[in-house]
Amino acid sequence: MKDKLALFGGTPVKTTPLGSGKRYDDAELNEIKDCFDHGSIIYWGGYKVGQFCNTVKDYFKVKYCAGCSSGSAALHAAVGAGLIEPGYEVITSPITDIGSLIGVLYQNLIPVFADVDPHTYNITAQSIEKVLTSRTRAIIVVHLAGNPCDMDPIVELARKHSLLLIEDCAQAYGAMYKGRPVGTIGDIGAFSLNESKHLSSGDGGFIITDNEDFYGRCHNYMDKYYDRLRRGDRLEHLAPCYRASELQYAVARAQFGKLDDILAKRRRFAAILSEELSGIPDIILPAVQENCESSWWFYMFRLTPGVFDGDGARFAEAVRAEGCFALAGYISRPIYREKLFEQKSFFPGNVWPAEVISGRSYDYPAGLCPVAEEVLSTAIRLPVSEFYTETDALEMAQAVRKVAAGLRK
């Protein structure tokens, strides 16, 4: 006999709050105090940005790091560093935040969307190749929820066609692809320090690379293309102001000392979820490729269509009623189905300079990436946190199991 769902008046599975904790402590305070003692909190007058970048370089074992105001800024700088002529195409994922696309659009480039794998939710070399044209100049891979894309064939494809390869690692601190940290595999890795990410300075971001030219151009793009590195390339290109203060870098540097512990706890939590949810009929678990490690920014599984009463929103509502947070999907629909893309209202008057320059018309209709659309229409997202306990994981899985039984047709 089915247990009565809390949604219909039954007893909730979880009656205690999810685990919580203090994200910032004396480590961050001490770094901030050091800024004030030094007397300057702008990056070219202080030294925290240098300390932070050295910490990042040591962690990822890369040659260069440059800090900025957000992950979106980091991606914009990475695209700008490619010096791609307006009107050309950049391939990326349809399941992502608009931050992955802002730099593409502002550089007057054309976003092209490759479909995703139904189990990892990431674009693949095969899906990229299907939309590759003679006008493609770059690829932005998005390691969604910290799950690494299958990078080796993507790198091979990028090298074959001389394409800039950018990794959007906003959700993927410490994610590993065959023993290599994501962000170190393509040409440029872009990271976010937003409050919601694994590490936070309230807001902020940075890029990493082993290419000196990309580093120099990224660094300049983050600061109006002034020659802060004193390399003789002052104001050679138009660029925004994406500076962050020494205070943000100070907090971020302290946060890096906590990353390994954060990752271990998140991975343990996700492992319990996978173990407990495994075998539930019509619950399709996320796949992490062999020899890879996700950093589990969130945990998203899928429902077999037509099996449960109601849609994903109803399923998620029932899980919430059991005392465990859940949402339907990651974003409600692929990014190309947002009004911005449907109406091509990137600039006032719906004039899209990139389209004018290219001499071509681009559209983003429903069905453009059918797998991505199916993924988002059938996905249930569960939160993951280093502050959640093993009991939280067990109860969350129990709530999903109960709802799956209670809503089964």
Side-chain angles (χ1 to χ4, degrees):
M1 182 178 178
K2 297 177 182 177
D3 290 339
K4 188 175 184 180
L5 296 181
L7 188 65
F8 305 135
T11 302
V13 166
K14 187 167 181 58
T15 58
T16 58
L18 287 165
S20 61
K22 190 175 181 181
R23 187 164 198 181
Y24 308 107
D25 54 31
D26 287 345
E28 287 81 7
L29 284 173
N30 290 336
E31 290 284 349
I32 290 172
K33 183 178 182 301
D34 198 24
C35 287
F36 291 143
D37 289 344
H38 180 72
S40 175
I41 57 173
I42 193 167
Y43 83 91
W44 64 70
Y47 57 88
K48 281 301 169 189
V49 63
Q51 290 182 339
F52 168 76
C53 287
N54 286 336
T55 297
V56 171
K57 289 186 289 184
D58 288 345
Y59 186 90
F60 288 103
K61 295 180 173 57
V62 293
K63 293 179 181 177
Y64 304 105
C65 169
C68 56
S69 58
S70 70
S72 300
L75 286 164
H76 189 174
V79 173
L83 299 181
I84 305 169
E85 292 182 18
Y88 284 91
E89 299 170 358
V90 177
I91 296 172
T92 192
S93 173
I95 305 181
T96 190
D97 180 79
I98 188 61
S100 301
L101 281 303
I102 288 172
V104 175
L105 294 165
Y106 266 102
Q107 293 304 116
N108 277 311
L109 303 172
I110 307 285
V112 173
F113 297 96
D115 213 344
V116 301
D117 178 89
H119 303 293
T120 66
Y121 322 137
N122 288 326
I123 61 175
T124 66
Q126 292 79 8
S127 68
I128 293 167
E129 194 161 25
K130 287 179 181 178
V131 296
L132 191 67
T133 74
S134 61
R135 300 188 65 79
T136 306
R137 293 294 181 270
I139 301 167
I140 301 175
V141 297
V142 179
H143 301 293
L144 189 69
N147 193 7
C149 296
D150 188 5
M151 291 301 295
D152 282 348
I154 294 175
V155 169
E156 182 179 351
L157 185 67
R159 298 295 174 261
K160 178 181 176 182
H161 295 277
S162 301
L163 304 176
L164 174 67
L165 180 54
I166 299 168
E167 296 180 71
D168 182 344
C169 306
Q171 303 174 0
Y173 279 95
M176 301 295 289
Y177 177 79
K178 299 182 179 179
R180 293 171 286 172
V182 302
T184 68
I185 303 165
D187 296 306
I188 305 171
F191 291 78
S192 170
L193 288 163
N194 180 266
E195 181 74 17
S196 69
K197 301 305 189 293
H198 294 78
L199 302 183
S200 169
S201 58
D203 223 330
F206 61 93
I207 64 95
I208 57 174
T209 184
D210 280 327
N211 183 294
E212 184 177 4
D213 289 335
F214 285 144
Y215 163 66
R217 292 199 290 268
C218 281
H219 196 284
N220 287 355
Y221 258 91
M222 292 166 175
D223 192 1
K224 299 180 282 188
Y225 227 87
Y226 279 113
D227 187 22
R228 304 298 182 193
L229 297 176
R230 298 176 182 174
R231 293 166 44 155
D233 47 8
R234 174 185 168 91
L235 295 181
E236 288 189 351
H237 302 283
L238 180 66
C241 180
Y242 283 148
R243 296 193 299 260
S245 76
E246 287 277 280
L247 299 177
Q248 287 165 277
Y249 297 123
V251 172
R253 183 170 184 248
Q255 286 271 292
F256 252 95
K258 304 173 182 180
L259 180 56
D260 288 344
D261 183 58
I262 288 170
L263 290 171
K265 290 175 178 175
R266 283 175 169 262
R267 284 173 175 148
R268 175 59 182 154
F269 185 88
I272 295 171
L273 285 180
S274 290
E275 183 178 350
E276 294 295 318
L277 296 176
S278 178
I280 301 176
D282 300 301
I283 298 291
I284 306 164
L285 300 186
V288 179
Q289 294 184 99
E290 188 176 358
N291 298 322
C292 295
E293 291 183 90
S294 175
S295 60
W296 297 108
W297 192 58
F298 57 75
Y299 188 100
M300 193 163 77
F301 62 86
R302 295 177 56 201
L303 308 174
T304 299
V307 171
F308 303 101
D309 283 327
D311 55 11
R314 181 68 160 173
F315 195 101
E317 181 187 15
V319 173
R320 292 195 300 271
E322 297 297 334
C324 298
F325 188 76
L327 289 174
Y330 162 50
I331 51 178
S332 58
R333 52 192 174 274
I335 195 70
Y336 61 77
R337 295 303 296 156
E338 294 290 343
K339 182 178 180 180
L340 178 70
F341 288 90
E342 287 185 337
Q343 299 185 3
K344 294 187 279 191
S345 56
F346 308 118
F347 297 94
N350 289 27
V351 176
W352 189 10
E355 200 173 48
V356 175
I357 293 166
S358 71
R360 303 175 181 220
S361 179
Y362 291 82
D363 293 299
Y364 300 98
L368 183 64
C369 296
V371 177
E373 293 179 19
E374 183 180 359
V375 164
L376 291 173
S377 69
T378 59
I380 302 295
R381 175 161 57 101
L382 303 177
V384 179
S385 169
E386 59 272 20
F387 299 118
Y388 293 170
T389 66
E390 292 192 6
T391 298
D392 289 335
L394 293 169
E395 290 177 337
M396 196 176 289
Q398 185 183 348
V400 172
R401 189 181 303 109
K402 180 182 175 184
V403 170
L407 291 183
R408 184 173 295 278
K409 292 180 179 178

PDB file of all heavy atoms in Angstrom, residues 345-367:
ATOM      1  N   SER A 345      15.850  40.383 -29.748  1.00  0.00           N
ATOM      2  CA  SER A 345      15.815  41.745 -29.193  1.00  0.00           C
ATOM      3  C   SER A 345      17.081  42.046 -28.391  1.00  0.00           C
ATOM      4  O   SER A 345      17.025  42.610 -27.299  1.00  0.00           O
ATOM      5  CB  SER A 345      14.568  41.909 -28.315  1.00  0.00           C
ATOM      6  OG  SER A 345      14.531  40.920 -27.291  1.00  0.00           O
ATOM      7  N   PHE A 346      18.228  41.669 -28.943  1.00  0.00           N
ATOM      8  CA  PHE A 346      19.501  41.864 -28.246  1.00  0.00           C
ATOM      9  C   PHE A 346      19.851  43.343 -28.115  1.00  0.00           C
ATOM     10  O   PHE A 346      20.522  43.750 -27.168  1.00  0.00           O
ATOM     11  CB  PHE A 346      20.622  41.129 -28.992  1.00  0.00           C
ATOM     12  CG  PHE A 346      20.316  39.683 -29.283  1.00  0.00           C
ATOM     13  CD1 PHE A 346      20.235  39.222 -30.583  1.00  0.00           C
ATOM     14  CD2 PHE A 346      20.072  38.793 -28.253  1.00  0.00           C
ATOM     15  CE1 PHE A 346      19.955  37.895 -30.854  1.00  0.00           C
ATOM     16  CE2 PHE A 346      19.783  37.467 -28.512  1.00  0.00           C
ATOM     17  CZ  PHE A 346      19.724  37.020 -29.822  1.00  0.00           C
ATOM     18  N   PHE A 347      19.388  44.140 -29.086  1.00  0.00           N
ATOM     19  CA  PHE A 347      19.670  45.571 -29.083  1.00  0.00           C
ATOM     20  C   PHE A 347      18.379  46.323 -29.399  1.00  0.00           C
ATOM     21  O   PHE A 347      17.443  45.763 -29.979  1.00  0.00           O
ATOM     22  CB  PHE A 347      20.764  45.901 -30.099  1.00  0.00           C
ATOM     23  CG  PHE A 347      22.079  45.248 -29.785  1.00  0.00           C
ATOM     24  CD1 PHE A 347      22.424  44.034 -30.349  1.00  0.00           C
ATOM     25  CD2 PHE A 347      22.959  45.845 -28.897  1.00  0.00           C
ATOM     26  CE1 PHE A 347      23.631  43.422 -30.044  1.00  0.00           C
ATOM     27  CE2 PHE A 347      24.172  45.239 -28.583  1.00  0.00           C
ATOM     28  CZ  PHE A 347      24.504  44.031 -29.147  1.00  0.00           C
ATOM     29  N   PRO A 348      18.292  47.598 -29.021  1.00  0.00           N
ATOM     30  CA  PRO A 348      17.066  48.362 -29.258  1.00  0.00           C
ATOM     31  C   PRO A 348      16.638  48.335 -30.722  1.00  0.00           C
ATOM     32  O   PRO A 348      17.471  48.360 -31.634  1.00  0.00           O
ATOM     33  CB  PRO A 348      17.452  49.783 -28.824  1.00  0.00           C
ATOM     34  CG  PRO A 348      18.531  49.575 -27.805  1.00  0.00           C
ATOM     35  CD  PRO A 348      19.302  48.384 -28.290  1.00  0.00           C
ATOM     36  N   GLY A 349      15.328  48.270 -30.901  1.00  0.00           N
ATOM     37  CA  GLY A 349      14.789  48.244 -32.260  1.00  0.00           C
ATOM     38  C   GLY A 349      14.860  46.886 -32.908  1.00  0.00           C
ATOM     39  O   GLY A 349      14.547  46.736 -34.097  1.00  0.00           O
ATOM     40  N   ASN A 350      15.275  45.874 -32.123  1.00  0.00           N
ATOM     41  CA  ASN A 350      15.424  44.510 -32.644  1.00  0.00           C
ATOM     42  C   ASN A 350      16.355  44.451 -33.858  1.00  0.00           C
ATOM     43  O   ASN A 350      16.218  43.579 -34.721  1.00  0.00           O
ATOM     44  CB  ASN A 350      14.065  43.895 -32.993  1.00  0.00           C
ATOM     45  CG  ASN A 350      13.248  43.554 -31.762  1.00  0.00           C
ATOM     46  OD1 ASN A 350      13.419  44.181 -30.723  1.00  0.00           O
ATOM     47  ND2 ASN A 350      12.372  42.576 -31.851  1.00  0.00           N
ATOM     48  N   VAL A 351      17.280  45.381 -33.898  1.00  0.00           N
ATOM     49  CA  VAL A 351      18.325  45.332 -34.915  1.00  0.00           C
ATOM     50  C   VAL A 351      19.500  44.567 -34.336  1.00  0.00           C
ATOM     51  O   VAL A 351      20.063  44.945 -33.301  1.00  0.00           O
ATOM     52  CB  VAL A 351      18.775  46.757 -35.321  1.00  0.00           C
ATOM     53  CG1 VAL A 351      19.942  46.668 -36.306  1.00  0.00           C
ATOM     54  CG2 VAL A 351      17.609  47.529 -35.920  1.00  0.00           C
ATOM     55  N   TRP A 352      19.863  43.490 -34.970  1.00  0.00           N
ATOM     56  CA  TRP A 352      20.952  42.639 -34.493  1.00  0.00           C
ATOM     57  C   TRP A 352      22.162  42.872 -35.397  1.00  0.00           C
ATOM     58  O   TRP A 352      22.220  42.326 -36.503  1.00  0.00           O
ATOM     59  CB  TRP A 352      20.519  41.179 -34.509  1.00  0.00           C
ATOM     60  CG  TRP A 352      21.483  40.243 -33.853  1.00  0.00           C
ATOM     61  CD1 TRP A 352      22.569  40.552 -33.106  1.00  0.00           C
ATOM     62  CD2 TRP A 352      21.421  38.811 -33.890  1.00  0.00           C
ATOM     63  NE1 TRP A 352      23.206  39.415 -32.660  1.00  0.00           N
ATOM     64  CE2 TRP A 352      22.523  38.327 -33.129  1.00  0.00           C
ATOM     65  CE3 TRP A 352      20.563  37.906 -34.482  1.00  0.00           C
ATOM     66  CZ2 TRP A 352      22.764  36.973 -32.962  1.00  0.00           C
ATOM     67  CZ3 TRP A 352      20.796  36.541 -34.311  1.00  0.00           C
ATOM     68  CH2 TRP A 352      21.883  36.085 -33.555  1.00  0.00           C
ATOM     69  N   PRO A 353      23.117  43.674 -34.944  1.00  0.00           N
ATOM     70  CA  PRO A 353      24.256  44.010 -35.806  1.00  0.00           C
ATOM     71  C   PRO A 353      24.999  42.783 -36.340  1.00  0.00           C
ATOM     72  O   PRO A 353      25.447  42.793 -37.495  1.00  0.00           O
ATOM     73  CB  PRO A 353      25.156  44.843 -34.897  1.00  0.00           C
ATOM     74  CG  PRO A 353      24.219  45.443 -33.895  1.00  0.00           C
ATOM     75  CD  PRO A 353      23.179  44.402 -33.663  1.00  0.00           C
ATOM     76  N   ALA A 354      25.117  41.745 -35.531  1.00  0.00           N
ATOM     77  CA  ALA A 354      25.851  40.558 -35.979  1.00  0.00           C
ATOM     78  C   ALA A 354      25.180  39.920 -37.183  1.00  0.00           C
ATOM     79  O   ALA A 354      25.851  39.441 -38.109  1.00  0.00           O
ATOM     80  CB  ALA A 354      25.944  39.546 -34.836  1.00  0.00           C
ATOM     81  N   GLU A 355      23.862  39.927 -37.184  1.00  0.00           N
ATOM     82  CA  GLU A 355      23.114  39.358 -38.301  1.00  0.00           C
ATOM     83  C   GLU A 355      23.288  40.220 -39.553  1.00  0.00           C
ATOM     84  O   GLU A 355      23.450  39.705 -40.662  1.00  0.00           O
ATOM     85  CB  GLU A 355      21.638  39.254 -37.910  1.00  0.00           C
ATOM     86  CG  GLU A 355      20.832  38.284 -38.734  1.00  0.00           C
ATOM     87  CD  GLU A 355      19.427  38.103 -38.175  1.00  0.00           C
ATOM     88  OE1 GLU A 355      18.761  39.125 -37.886  1.00  0.00           O
ATOM     89  OE2 GLU A 355      19.003  36.956 -38.010  1.00  0.00           O
ATOM     90  N   VAL A 356      23.265  41.533 -39.344  1.00  0.00           N
ATOM     91  CA  VAL A 356      23.459  42.462 -40.469  1.00  0.00           C
ATOM     92  C   VAL A 356      24.843  42.268 -41.070  1.00  0.00           C
ATOM     93  O   VAL A 356      25.011  42.181 -42.296  1.00  0.00           O
ATOM     94  CB  VAL A 356      23.263  43.917 -40.002  1.00  0.00           C
ATOM     95  CG1 VAL A 356      23.577  44.880 -41.138  1.00  0.00           C
ATOM     96  CG2 VAL A 356      21.847  44.131 -39.495  1.00  0.00           C
ATOM     97  N   ILE A 357      25.833  42.187 -40.208  1.00  0.00           N
ATOM     98  CA  ILE A 357      27.220  42.047 -40.676  1.00  0.00           C
ATOM     99  C   ILE A 357      27.417  40.732 -41.428  1.00  0.00           C
ATOM    100  O   ILE A 357      28.082  40.684 -42.472  1.00  0.00           O
ATOM    101  CB  ILE A 357      28.193  42.131 -39.483  1.00  0.00           C
ATOM    102  CG1 ILE A 357      28.174  43.541 -38.880  1.00  0.00           C
ATOM    103  CG2 ILE A 357      29.608  41.751 -39.901  1.00  0.00           C
ATOM    104  CD1 ILE A 357      28.829  43.618 -37.517  1.00  0.00           C
ATOM    105  N   SER A 358      26.824  39.674 -40.898  1.00  0.00           N
ATOM    106  CA  SER A 358      27.005  38.351 -41.512  1.00  0.00           C
ATOM    107  C   SER A 358      26.256  38.224 -42.833  1.00  0.00           C
ATOM    108  O   SER A 358      26.598  37.376 -43.666  1.00  0.00           O
ATOM    109  CB  SER A 358      26.528  37.253 -40.559  1.00  0.00           C
ATOM    110  OG  SER A 358      25.103  37.250 -40.446  1.00  0.00           O
ATOM    111  N   GLY A 359      25.208  39.056 -42.999  1.00  0.00           N
ATOM    112  CA  GLY A 359      24.395  38.949 -44.206  1.00  0.00           C
ATOM    113  C   GLY A 359      23.509  37.723 -44.202  1.00  0.00           C
ATOM    114  O   GLY A 359      23.001  37.310 -45.255  1.00  0.00           O
ATOM    115  N   ARG A 360      23.301  37.171 -43.002  1.00  0.00           N
ATOM    116  CA  ARG A 360      22.486  35.959 -42.865  1.00  0.00           C
ATOM    117  C   ARG A 360      21.446  36.161 -41.785  1.00  0.00           C
ATOM    118  O   ARG A 360      21.610  36.990 -40.897  1.00  0.00           O
ATOM    119  CB  ARG A 360      23.370  34.757 -42.508  1.00  0.00           C
ATOM    120  CG  ARG A 360      24.473  34.498 -43.509  1.00  0.00           C
ATOM    121  CD  ARG A 360      25.388  33.379 -43.062  1.00  0.00           C
ATOM    122  NE  ARG A 360      26.445  33.168 -44.042  1.00  0.00           N
ATOM    123  CZ  ARG A 360      26.895  31.971 -44.411  1.00  0.00           C
ATOM    124  NH1 ARG A 360      26.377  30.886 -43.857  1.00  0.00           N
ATOM    125  NH2 ARG A 360      27.859  31.864 -45.299  1.00  0.00           N
ATOM    126  N   SER A 361      20.384  35.376 -41.866  1.00  0.00           N
ATOM    127  CA  SER A 361      19.343  35.415 -40.844  1.00  0.00           C
ATOM    128  C   SER A 361      19.427  34.151 -40.000  1.00  0.00           C
ATOM    129  O   SER A 361      19.603  33.045 -40.531  1.00  0.00           O
ATOM    130  CB  SER A 361      17.962  35.502 -41.503  1.00  0.00           C
ATOM    131  OG  SER A 361      16.946  35.522 -40.528  1.00  0.00           O
ATOM    132  N   TYR A 362      19.341  34.331 -38.698  1.00  0.00           N
ATOM    133  CA  TYR A 362      19.401  33.210 -37.759  1.00  0.00           C
ATOM    134  C   TYR A 362      18.115  33.172 -36.938  1.00  0.00           C
ATOM    135  O   TYR A 362      17.620  34.217 -36.501  1.00  0.00           O
ATOM    136  CB  TYR A 362      20.597  33.358 -36.824  1.00  0.00           C
ATOM    137  CG  TYR A 362      21.932  33.177 -37.502  1.00  0.00           C
ATOM    138  CD1 TYR A 362      22.525  34.232 -38.199  1.00  0.00           C
ATOM    139  CD2 TYR A 362      22.603  31.961 -37.456  1.00  0.00           C
ATOM    140  CE1 TYR A 362      23.755  34.083 -38.815  1.00  0.00           C
ATOM    141  CE2 TYR A 362      23.836  31.795 -38.073  1.00  0.00           C
ATOM    142  CZ  TYR A 362      24.409  32.864 -38.756  1.00  0.00           C
ATOM    143  OH  TYR A 362      25.625  32.701 -39.375  1.00  0.00           O
ATOM    144  N   ASP A 363      17.585  31.976 -36.751  1.00  0.00           N
ATOM    145  CA  ASP A 363      16.378  31.813 -35.944  1.00  0.00           C
ATOM    146  C   ASP A 363      16.596  30.718 -34.913  1.00  0.00           C
ATOM    147  O   ASP A 363      17.446  29.826 -35.084  1.00  0.00           O
ATOM    148  CB  ASP A 363      15.181  31.463 -36.834  1.00  0.00           C
ATOM    149  CG  ASP A 363      14.794  32.624 -37.743  1.00  0.00           C
ATOM    150  OD1 ASP A 363      14.449  33.681 -37.198  1.00  0.00           O
ATOM    151  OD2 ASP A 363      14.872  32.469 -38.973  1.00  0.00           O
ATOM    152  N   TYR A 364      15.803  30.783 -33.834  1.00  0.00           N
ATOM    153  CA  TYR A 364      15.944  29.852 -32.719  1.00  0.00           C
ATOM    154  C   TYR A 364      14.575  29.250 -32.381  1.00  0.00           C
ATOM    155  O   TYR A 364      13.974  29.554 -31.358  1.00  0.00           O
ATOM    156  CB  TYR A 364      16.532  30.581 -31.512  1.00  0.00           C
ATOM    157  CG  TYR A 364      17.895  31.180 -31.808  1.00  0.00           C
ATOM    158  CD1 TYR A 364      18.025  32.533 -32.144  1.00  0.00           C
ATOM    159  CD2 TYR A 364      19.043  30.396 -31.771  1.00  0.00           C
ATOM    160  CE1 TYR A 364      19.273  33.083 -32.418  1.00  0.00           C
ATOM    161  CE2 TYR A 364      20.293  30.936 -32.047  1.00  0.00           C
ATOM    162  CZ  TYR A 364      20.398  32.280 -32.365  1.00  0.00           C
ATOM    163  OH  TYR A 364      21.635  32.809 -32.644  1.00  0.00           O
ATOM    164  N   PRO A 365      14.070  28.380 -33.244  1.00  0.00           N
ATOM    165  CA  PRO A 365      12.721  27.844 -33.061  1.00  0.00           C
ATOM    166  C   PRO A 365      12.668  26.714 -32.035  1.00  0.00           C
ATOM    167  O   PRO A 365      13.695  26.125 -31.668  1.00  0.00           O
ATOM    168  CB  PRO A 365      12.393  27.298 -34.452  1.00  0.00           C
ATOM    169  CG  PRO A 365      13.733  26.855 -34.983  1.00  0.00           C
ATOM    170  CD  PRO A 365      14.721  27.876 -34.480  1.00  0.00           C
ATOM    171  N   ALA A 366      11.464  26.415 -31.582  1.00  0.00           N
ATOM    172  CA  ALA A 366      11.253  25.219 -30.774  1.00  0.00           C
ATOM    173  C   ALA A 366      11.671  24.001 -31.593  1.00  0.00           C
ATOM    174  O   ALA A 366      11.475  23.955 -32.813  1.00  0.00           O
ATOM    175  CB  ALA A 366       9.784  25.108 -30.372  1.00  0.00           C
ATOM    176  N   GLY A 367      12.282  23.023 -30.930  1.00  0.00           N
ATOM    177  CA  GLY A 367      12.754  21.835 -31.624  1.00  0.00           C
ATOM    178  C   GLY A 367      14.175  21.950 -32.135  1.00  0.00           C
ATOM    179  O   GLY A 367      14.706  20.995 -32.722  1.00  0.00           O
TER     180      GLY A 367
END
